[in-house]
Amino acid sequence: MMKNSTKVRTLATAGAMVVAMLAGAGPVSATDGTSPSTTPGSARSVPAPINDAGPAAGTYTSFAGCSGQVHKGYEQGSGTAYARGQFSLGTSTRGYACWGWLERRKDSSSAFERVSDYHTASDSTGWYYSQDPVQSRVCIGDFLYANSYSCVGYW
């Protein structure tokens, strides 16, 4: 039998998930489609694996010799769209470590916000909910100056 505090916590979590889904937020992230991500925000599991459909057109960005692109993915079964950043990083042509991250916005009138951790190696972020009207993009920079980065296109 569950303790009362466990029941309350379980009901509160379920209630928050229902509110988020009704608001159109969708799941925040999943690293492999079955486990939560450790990226910023309240990450949750995705019920089914995500199929990587490859790079999204118009999302390739590069900065001082480092690059990144949004990869689109679809949840098996439901077809819900997700996005992740894929990076080729290292040392910039200016001698600084390159950084990459994924941003998204809830619709075309909202500002983009960083949703992933900063990456400094050639790897990828976890999967992030990106069903229309949500839009995702990658950013690459080396931060020699505060504005030393590039974010191009979105999916």
Side-chain angles (χ1 to χ4, degrees), residues 122-146:
S122 294
D123 60 5
S124 61
T125 68
W127 289 106
Y128 289 82
Y129 179 83
S130 197
Q131 189 75 25
D132 188 41
V134 175
Q135 300 170 339
S136 301
R137 71 179 184 183
V138 295
C139 298
I140 304 292
D142 73 355
F143 294 99
L144 174 60
Y145 306 106

Side-chain angles (χ1 to χ4, degrees), residues 92-137:
S92 74
T93 56
R94 303 187 303 184
Y96 293 89
C98 286
W99 294 21
W101 63 96
L102 185 72
E103 295 183 343
R104 70 178 184 178
R105 63 183 176 184
K106 62 182 180 179
D107 56 48
S108 60
S109 63
S110 301
F112 278 97
E113 297 179 3
R114 181 178 65 87
V115 293
S116 76
D117 284 335
Y118 290 106
H119 290 251
T120 57
S122 294
D123 60 5
S124 61
T125 68
W127 289 106
Y128 289 82
Y129 179 83
S130 197
Q131 189 75 25
D132 188 41
V134 175
Q135 300 170 339
S136 301
R137 71 179 184 183

